[in-house]
Amino acid sequence: MFDFSIVSNWIDLLLRQTLGLGDFPAILIECVLVGVGILLAYALIAIVLIFMERKVCAYFQCRVGPMRVGPWGLLQVFADVLKMLIKEIFVVDKADHMLYYIAPFLVIVASVGTFSFLPWNKGMHVLDFNVGVFLVTAISSIGVLGIFLAGWGSNNKYSVVSAMRGAVQMISYEMSLGLCLISAVAITGTMQMSGIVEAQTGPWKWLVVQGHIPAILAFLVFLVAGNAEANRGPFDLAEAESELTAGYHTEYSGMGFGFYYLAEYLNLFVISGLAAAVFLGGWAPLNIGVVAFDNVMNHIPGFVWFFGKAFFVVWLLMWVKWTFPRLRVDQILKLEWKYLMPLMLFVLVLTTVCVALDWTL
C-alpha cells in the first residue's frame, strides 16, 4: 500500500532545503496547495455526482437522461455551471440582508470542513486530529445554521416553514449519526480518522465484519440517518417542491442558489465517504487471509479503494431516493425518536459488551 506521506514530505523538503524557504513561507505555500487541492476535488466530485444523479434517476425511470450537450451528455453539467455563474443575483427587498448573505457561506463552510476530514489514502489526510470524529460531528452541525438562517433571512413564509423542517430534521438525526460513530470508536479504540482506517487493515478487518451484528446495524442506521442529514429523498421534506416551491433557498439566485446545490451533493459524498472510511475500511484493501488474493488486492492503490467504496454508497443512497416516496414530517421524526434512537442506544450497549468480552474479530 503506497504511503502518500512520502510525496508530502518530499514537497516539504523541496520548499525548505532546495528552495531555502523558512518555516512561515513554506507552511504558507503548503497550505495554499492543500486549499487549492481541496477546492478542485470539491468541484470535480460535485460535477461527477450531478451527472451520476441524472443518469441514475433516468435509469430508474426508464429514460436515458441528458444526451444532447456533448457525447452522452457529459458536458451538460458544465453548461449548467456556466449558466449559474452568469445568472443575475437579486436581493429580496424585505429580507434580513446580513442573514441572507451569511447563510450560503455557512453551508459551504460546513460542507468543505467535513469534506477535509475524509481519509483519501494512507498518508493523504488534509485534517487528521486525534479527536477527528468529534470535530466532524461538530463542524457538520454548522450546516443547520446555514439552512435555518436562509429561511429566516429570506422573509418568505415558504422558506421559513422549510427551514424549520430542515433544522428539526437535521438536529434530530445528528443523534443517531453520533451514536453510530461512537459505536465505531468503541470497536477501533480511537477517534482519529486515520486510526479508524488503520484498525481495519488485515484479513476480515473491515468494521462491518469484525464488529459483526452491532457494526452492521450501526452501518445501516448510519446510511438512513446520513440520508436524512443530507436532506435527500425520502427525507427531502424541507425541499418539497409541490408544497414549498424550492424550500429554504426559494429566494436565492445565481451562485447563492449554486452554493446550496453544490453543498447538497457534496454532503452526499461526505456521508458516503464517512460510511466507507468508518465501516468499510476506507483505503484498506479487501483481505481474506489467502496470500495470493491479498497480494493482488494490496497492489490496488488506496484511493481507488476509497473512491470505489464511497461511490458504491452514493449509488445506494441514490437508489433509495428514486425508489421510496417522500415521508411526512411526523413520520420522519417518529422514525428517528421512536425507532433509530432507541435502536442505536441498544447497539451501543451491545457494542461495548462485545468489546469488553473480546467478541470482535
Side-chain angles (χ1 to χ4, degrees):
M1 180 63 67
F2 178 74
D3 191 346
F4 196 81
S5 60
I6 297 173
V7 177
S8 59
N9 291 333
W10 176 80
I11 294 174
D12 185 67
L13 290 174
L14 176 66
L15 294 175
R16 294 174 186 271
Q17 297 182 4
T18 306
L19 299 181
L21 298 178
D23 289 340
F24 179 76
I27 294 174
L28 179 62
I29 293 174
E30 290 170 2
C31 290
V32 170
L33 291 176
V34 170
V36 171
I38 291 175
L39 294 179
L40 284 176
Y42 194 88
L44 290 175
I45 292 174
I47 289 172
V48 172
L49 287 176
I50 293 172
F51 183 78
M52 181 179 174
E53 173 93 278
R54 291 172 173 174
K55 288 297 185 179
V56 171
C57 168
Y59 175 79
F60 281 105
Q61 296 176 355
C62 298
R63 299 185 290 107
V64 295
M67 293 291 288
R68 293 181 180 275
V69 185
W72 303 289
L74 291 173
L75 300 181
Q76 180 65 56
V77 180
F78 295 94
D80 293 339
V81 171
L82 178 62
K83 179 194 71 171
M84 196 167 292
L85 286 172
I86 62 177
K87 267 192 171 183
E88 178 185 1
I89 299 177
F90 62 84
V91 181
V92 182
D93 290 337
K94 297 183 179 180
D96 186 322
H97 289 185
M98 185 180 71
L99 300 182
Y100 181 85
Y101 285 121
I102 289 176
F105 290 99
L106 290 177
V107 172
I108 287 293
V109 166
S111 181
V112 174
T114 51
F115 181 75
S116 302
F117 276 92
L118 296 179
W120 309 94
N121 195 73
K122 186 176 183 179
M124 192 177 178
H125 316 100
V126 178
L127 298 176
D128 190 35
F129 299 108
N130 59 347
V131 288
V133 170
F134 173 77
L135 288 176
V136 165
T137 56
I139 295 174
S140 65
S141 301
I142 300 175
V144 180
L145 291 176
I147 289 177
F148 187 76
L149 293 182
W152 186 265
S154 295
N155 196 21
N156 179 304
K157 59 183 178 181
Y158 298 112
S159 298
V160 171
V161 172
S162 171
M164 292 174 64
R165 288 180 177 181
V168 71
Q169 175 179 310
M170 294 177 70
I171 292 172
S172 298
Y173 279 87
E174 280 177 358
M175 305 296 293
S176 292
L177 275 178
L179 290 173
C180 293
L181 294 175
I182 292 173
S183 299
V185 169
I187 297 175
T188 58
T190 178
M191 295 181 68
Q192 192 169 4
M193 293 302 298
S194 61
I196 292 176
V197 178
E198 289 282 359
Q200 301 178 70
T201 56
W204 303 110
K205 282 295 184 178
W206 291 4
L207 204 68
V208 291
V209 178
Q210 66 167 302
H212 44 84
I213 295 176
I216 293 174
L217 290 174
F219 174 63
L220 295 176
V221 173
F222 188 88
L223 293 183
V224 175
N227 215 10
E229 186 75 9
N231 280 322
R232 291 183 55 82
F235 303 97
D236 59 341
L237 195 66
E239 303 176 32
E241 296 87 354
S242 58
E243 306 170 25
L244 303 174
T245 314
Y248 48 85
H249 47 63
T250 298
E251 301 294 353
Y252 285 89
S253 65
M255 283 310 298
F257 170 78
F259 282 163
Y260 284 104
Y261 194 65
L262 189 65
E264 177 183 342
Y265 281 98
L266 262 297
N267 288 338
L268 170 64
F269 184 79
V270 167
I271 291 296
S272 302
L274 287 175
V278 174
F279 295 100
L280 301 179
W283 42 259
L286 175 63
N287 293 149
I288 61 175
V290 179
V291 177
F293 179 84
D294 291 350
N295 286 337
V296 174
M297 295 295 103
N298 291 337
H299 279 86
I300 300 176
F303 64 88
V304 174
W305 280 108
F306 175 78
F307 277 105
K309 297 170 185 176
F311 276 101
F312 170 72
V313 178
V314 167
W315 179 77
L316 283 179
L317 296 181
M318 288 183 178
W319 185 1
V320 169
K321 175 177 180 177
W322 297 108
T323 302
F324 292 99
R326 182 182 296 132
L327 300 175
R328 299 195 312 265
V329 64
D330 62 311
Q331 293 173 329
I332 290 175
L333 298 180
K334 182 178 179 180
L335 174 63
E336 163 62 15
W337 293 105
K338 293 188 68 174
Y339 298 102
L340 296 186
M341 182 78 169
L343 174 62
M344 277 314 304
L345 290 173
F346 171 74
V347 168
L348 182 58
V349 173
L350 187 61
T351 301
T352 54
V353 171
C354 291
V355 172
L357 298 178
D358 199 20
W359 286 351
T360 57
L361 298 179

